[in-house]
Amino acid sequence: MAHGHTHAHNHTHYGRAFAIGILLNLGFVLIEAFYGWQAGSMALLADAGHNLTDVGGLLLAWAAYRAARIHANQRHTYGWRKASILASFINAVLILLAMLVLAWESLQRIQTPSPVEASTMMLVAAIGVGVNALTAWLFQKDSAHDLNIRGAFLHMAADAAVSLGVVVAGALYLWQGWLWIDAVLGLIISLLIIWGTWSLFHQSLHLLFDGVPEHISLPAVQECLLAIPAVSDLHDLHIWSMSTQEHALTVHVVYDAHLQPADELLDHLHHCLHERFDLQHITVQLESVDYARHCVMNHSKCHMV
């Protein structure tokens, strides 16, 4: 049996990005709550409460980012890498819940529109656009291939979009006097964000239950391994994500030692799996043809797949 641990991971350090994002958003929450109270704006006060949950989301993502780097020990042999997947799932749930609440409140306000202090709303919301857009930019680089970082990015990008919608609504209100415009734009933005966040929710839930990562095709992995001449069969193939960045594989490989020595075969297998499928933690059990036949006859010990 052989283990392969390739450490070609992304080493971007996000500790400073999380700290800056949390401080910026916490400061904005205080500003928005103060001016919302001064202007008597329920919209700004409600958005301040929503932005406070964003600070919690960033703290959660940061904690998971740190936990994923805790070394393995005798109690947790894989460390706490799974925390990054859990955080991305919770972040997706928080975004979806916040947007559902915003959509519901928007529907209520469409039915009963009321005057707003547009100038104050626009000024505070414009600050929010800058704060949230800057925070989102801090996480943009690796948001495409790390679900935890993507969750933080989407959270901040969603808030930037909501704040921009408030600015546009305020401008249209001052121009046309439409009482309903704020609520309609709020509903549209919330539905767009729900649509954009659904994939994060689906992917993170899938990985929580040890699903095959989206970018890896199980049939393609089987084809890659079986294409090696010395490999006659394989079984008990499992692929899952240890974190939002690291993926693992275990497999039993039936091989013909006359065609290729075991060490050369293992090198071949590891190269194929890492280079083609970005698998970092690989465990291969080599079995002779005679041993594989024994597995077929004794299903209690070997479960063929």
Side-chain angles (χ1 to χ4, degrees):
M1 183 179 292
H3 304 268
H5 303 277
T6 308
H7 298 283
H9 310 147
N10 193 322
H11 291 289
T12 304
H13 296 290
Y14 281 98
R16 182 177 296 180
F18 279 114
I20 293 172
I22 289 167
L23 288 175
L24 281 175
N25 281 272
L26 188 57
F28 176 63
V29 165
L30 296 176
I31 292 172
E32 190 173 34
F34 173 76
Y35 282 101
W37 172 70
Q38 288 279 33
S41 171
M42 289 303 297
L44 287 179
L45 288 172
D47 195 48
H50 167 63
N51 283 317
L52 188 60
T53 66
D54 296 338
V55 175
L58 284 175
L59 284 169
L60 175 68
W62 192 9
Y65 173 81
R66 298 292 299 173
R69 280 149 182 77
I70 296 176
H71 294 299
N73 56 39
Q74 292 182 355
R75 293 283 294 169
H76 300 91
T77 55
Y78 275 137
W80 291 79
R81 293 177 174 90
K82 208 87 168 183
S84 59
I85 299 175
L86 180 61
S88 64
F89 173 74
I90 296 175
N91 236 333
V93 171
L94 289 175
I95 297 172
L96 291 173
L97 288 176
M99 291 304 104
L100 285 172
V101 170
L102 180 61
W104 176 255
E105 185 171 340
S106 296
L107 285 171
Q108 299 301 308
R109 292 195 179 193
I110 288 173
Q111 296 174 10
T112 56
S114 58
V116 294
E117 290 196 21
S119 298
T120 302
M121 283 178 57
M122 290 175 65
L123 177 61
V124 176
I127 296 172
V129 172
V131 169
N132 290 314
L134 175 60
T135 309
W137 175 78
L138 293 173
F139 300 102
Q140 188 272 335
K141 181 179 178 182
D142 290 321
S143 62
H145 55 264
D146 186 325
L147 280 183
N148 188 39
I149 299 301
R150 183 182 170 193
F153 169 76
L154 283 177
H155 223 136
M156 295 300 101
D159 287 341
V162 171
S163 297
L164 183 60
V166 174
V167 174
V168 172
L172 290 173
Y173 176 79
L174 289 175
W175 179 37
Q176 295 288 342
W178 295 333
L179 294 178
W180 48 266
I181 190 64
D182 176 60
V184 169
L185 279 178
L187 179 61
I188 293 172
I189 290 170
S190 60
L191 292 177
L192 287 174
I193 292 171
I194 288 171
W195 178 76
T197 305
W198 186 256
S199 64
L200 174 66
F201 171 79
H202 179 266
Q203 287 180 49
S204 56
L205 181 63
H206 177 71
L207 295 184
L208 274 177
F209 286 91
D210 291 329
V212 178
E214 192 175 59
H215 70 282
I216 298 176
S217 167
L218 190 67
V221 172
Q222 292 175 319
E223 182 181 347
C224 173
L225 298 178
L226 291 172
I228 300 172
V231 176
S232 60
D233 199 3
L234 55 92
H235 61 94
D236 289 302
L237 172 61
H238 302 284
I239 304 173
W240 72 99
S241 290
M242 299 169 60
S243 72
T244 52
Q245 287 186 308
E246 298 173 90
H247 314 294
L249 173 147
T250 61
V251 64
H252 292 217
V253 173
V254 182
Y255 81 112
D256 187 341
H258 297 97
L259 295 178
Q260 191 173 23
D263 289 345
E264 287 184 15
L265 175 59
L266 287 171
D267 285 340
H268 196 164
L269 290 168
H270 284 281
H271 178 78
C272 169
L273 293 169
H274 175 65
E275 295 301 321
R276 284 193 54 184
F277 303 102
D278 191 32
L279 289 160
Q280 294 89 12
H281 295 262
I282 302 165
T283 302
V284 178
Q285 177 169 311
L286 295 179
E287 299 175 355
S288 67
V289 175
D290 289 339
Y291 186 85
R293 288 198 190 99
H294 172 71
C295 282
V296 173
M297 295 174 63
N298 192 341
H299 292 282
S300 65
K301 293 183 179 180
C302 304
H303 300 281
M304 306 296 288
V305 294

